[in-house]
Amino acid sequence: MISTTIFPGRYVQGSDAISQLTTEIARLGNFAFAIVDKGVMALVRDTVKTDDKAKIAVEAFNGECSDEEIERIGKRVAAEGANVIAGIGGGKALDTAKAVAHAAGLPVVIVPTLASTDAPCSALSVIYTAEGAFKRYLVLPKNPDVVLVDTTLVVGAPVRLFVAGMGDALSTWFEAEDCKQTGSANMTGRVGSMTAYGLARMCFDTLLADGAAAKAAASQKIVTPEFERIVEANTLLSGLGFESGGLSGAHAIHNGLTALEGTHGYWHGEKVAIGTQSLLMLTKRPREIVNAVYGFCEAIGLPMTLADIGIGDATDEQLLEVAKLACDPADTMGNVPGSVTPKDVVAAIRAADAEGRARKAKQLAA
């Protein structure tokens, strides 16, 4: 059996790392076209500029990773004659940069200003309509050439987004283990390697060891060693773990949950946390693992009940619709060991919710 593991070409992280941007660009070309989120333009204006290493042209991102925006920026890139693409900001700006680089056949440097998902390292762009509705996935032939994470920028983002990133990362080891057990494919269509599964476990261990201290540091806007390690776990370890280890039930349940309107005000990682807790019940993970996961979620403030993601009053009929979507053959529930039915998924979601409610009640009584 052939295994395949994919990585970004280079990962750079640290306080004031954005000062190395032109150095990293210069390894790939001499003129970068930078797509920058409007929300961070003021923060990076003094550092994203031409110097003796590389020229940079800056373009404000319009807000949607759409075919129209990709085409608009692509025309600007061609007119300017740039030979490197850079993306700076949140997920949609970064996905746009990846898609523009792919269309132009140019290298890409990704500079996330949040640690809220594991998407920056991936060979994937999510394409939306100009109005913001999901349209399709664009699977790219390679990962970004450089991912550069300035933790001084990241620590300035809302703490809730940082915690949501930990919620997304929390699923990584469990889903990779499911794929390993069932011999299921990762995002390349092949099985993962020993390295991928090992990094997925490192992601989990790092979250438990440093998550609470990292959140405390983020609350004070302080970059500490614990904060650095969790940024790396959220971004690199989780990215490698999901892409090269594989996905299973936690993300499938997340995808189903998005069908309920009440969840729309909650972040991806917050809903993935509920998916992970449900996956623990679905796959009958050991009690010590269940305790560790719920204890972690409680310590950093991740959702532990359906009410925590806006659907405390969800009916069995509504959850069955969630479960049917989660069990769609096109999703990743099939990577879970055993034969899983929508009714099994509903029971797991209810069991996870009951566990969370019991822990909250105990906490209130203490």
Side-chain angles (χ1 to χ4, degrees), residues 227-261:
F227 181 81
E228 291 276 9
R229 288 194 287 269
I230 293 299
V231 169
E232 184 175 340
N234 285 6
T235 309
L236 181 62
L237 292 177
S238 183
L240 297 174
F242 102 80
E243 196 166 34
S244 294
L247 298 173
S248 73
H251 275 80
I253 291 170
H254 161 276
N255 295 342
L257 287 169
T258 63
L260 300 187
E261 187 175 350

Side-chain angles (χ1 to χ4, degrees), residues 297-309:
C297 293
E298 189 172 345
I300 68 166
L302 278 169
M304 297 195 299
T305 68
L306 295 179
D308 289 341
I309 57 166

Side-chain angles (χ1 to χ4, degrees), residues 4-5 172 175-180 184-187 190-193 196-197 200 238-247 335:
T4 301
T5 305
T172 304
E175 296 194 288
E177 281 292 294
D178 285 351
C179 291
K180 180 181 178 182
S184 298
N186 61 22
M187 301 299 285
R190 296 174 180 153
V191 297
S193 65
Y197 300 133
S238 183
L240 297 174
F242 102 80
E243 196 166 34
S244 294
L247 298 173
N335 297 343

Side-chain angles (χ1 to χ4, degrees), residues 60-101:
F61 174 55
N62 275 349
E64 284 301 339
C65 182
S66 63
D67 287 317
E68 293 83 356
E69 180 72 347
I70 293 163
E71 182 179 0
R72 180 186 77 81
I73 294 175
K75 289 178 179 177
R76 287 289 320 279
V77 170
E80 293 277 357
N83 52 25
V84 180
I85 303 299
I88 304 171
K92 289 186 177 182
L94 304 183
D95 278 2
T96 301
K98 287 190 272 186
V100 168

Side-chain angles (χ1 to χ4, degrees), residues 26 103 127 162 207 210 335 343 346 351 363 366:
I127 310 299
F162 182 59
L207 291 172
D210 295 317
N335 297 343
K343 287 186 178 180
V346 172
Q363 185 181 34

Side-chain angles (χ1 to χ4, degrees), residues 26 43 80 94 96 113 120 134 143 148 193 206 214 216 222 262 264 316 358:
L43 293 175
E80 293 277 357
L94 304 183
T96 301
T113 54
F134 172 78
N143 299 71
L148 188 154
S193 65
T206 303
I222 300 169
H264 292 177
D316 285 343

